[in-house]
Amino acid sequence: MRRGSGKLKLFIGLAIVAFAVFKFCSSETINEFTGQKQYVDLTVEEEISMGLSAAPSMMQQHGGLLQNQQAQDQLDRVGMKLVQSSIAQNTDYNWDFHLLADDQTINAFALPGGQCFITAALYSQLENEDQLAGVMGHEIGHVIARHSAERIQQQGLANGVITGVSVAAEGGGQAAQAIAQMLTMKYGRDDELQSDDLGVKMMIDAGYDPYEMIGVMEILAAAGGPNRVPEFQSTHPDPANRVERIKESIEKYQ
């Protein structure tokens, strides 16, 4: 009975893994803005809906919106200039730019569908409008590259593998989890570098100085301090390493 039960668990576990892999592979598509193959089965409408649904929660986590109309107007103007002057104008995304009241966390991020955010802590560190364009160009890059949607799809594959291995072999799930986390980690670093590249192109197309994105990297490096987590253990590349890639992108697009 025990041997038969083990074989049944193995069969069920392999079936779960096979289904997860099949579902992932069947979502293959080519991103029209990056030209790269990716795995996404969400529609643009679904991405927009997800972003709009999550936006209020993200605002609440960061103290709501900053009550500074002049700063918000600048953010809106810069964000829409980047969109309307670049490849991003050919999307159906619902673009919104939010200045968060959080004055402690130096950060910017984007949700699926065009919801882009920057904290007051980062905004206050920026030296000029070109640097703001660099930050927003990077976040717009995440959206048009569909990084969030792709991460959702990848996480679905990882969850399927973890579940399948856990069913098939006791203790195997822990190993599968570790592997899945490492895959997701590397994927995140690639996303950041690709968004830097797209951000540089959008800055140039909109008439901003792309070299000011290097200044943004210096701000991020200073915020991390001397005890930054090593690059391999982080989903974000080290700012110093991003600078070299940004310079390469500037040379490529200018």
Side-chain angles (χ1 to χ4, degrees), residues 144-195:
I144 65 174
R146 308 188 76 185
H147 288 153
S148 293
E150 196 171 14
R151 292 288 291 275
I152 291 170
Q153 195 77 14
Q154 188 185 35
Q155 191 60 53
L157 171 63
N159 290 340
V161 171
I162 292 167
T163 301
V165 173
S166 298
V167 170
E170 184 177 354
Q174 185 174 0
Q177 180 74 56
I179 294 171
Q181 287 178 343
M182 292 195 67
L183 290 173
T184 303
M185 188 179 297
K186 184 177 185 304
Y187 186 89
R189 292 200 297 269
D190 291 343
D191 287 352
E192 297 300 325
L193 294 174
Q194 186 175 62
S195 291

Side-chain angles (χ1 to χ4, degrees), residues 9 15 29 32 62 64 67 84 128 137 158 190-191 193 196 222 226-227 240 244:
K9 287 183 177 180
T29 185
E32 62 179 305
H62 291 275
Q67 300 304 305
Q84 294 169 357
N128 51 57
D190 291 343
D191 287 352
L193 294 174
D196 284 344
N227 299 317
E244 295 307 312

Side-chain angles (χ1 to χ4, degrees), residues 4-55:
S5 176
K7 288 184 178 180
L8 178 60
K9 287 183 177 180
L10 177 61
F11 175 79
I12 294 174
L14 291 176
I16 292 173
V17 171
F19 177 76
V21 172
F22 172 78
K23 183 178 180 182
F24 181 82
C25 292
S26 64
S27 67
E28 179 181 323
T29 185
I30 301 295
N31 186 290
E32 62 179 305
F33 302 106
T34 66
Q36 295 185 355
K37 179 174 66 176
Q38 59 183 175
Y39 297 91
V40 175
D41 64 0
L42 290 173
T43 65
V44 169
E45 291 73 19
E46 288 171 332
E47 288 184 79
I48 292 173
S49 178
M50 291 176 63
L52 289 173
S53 297

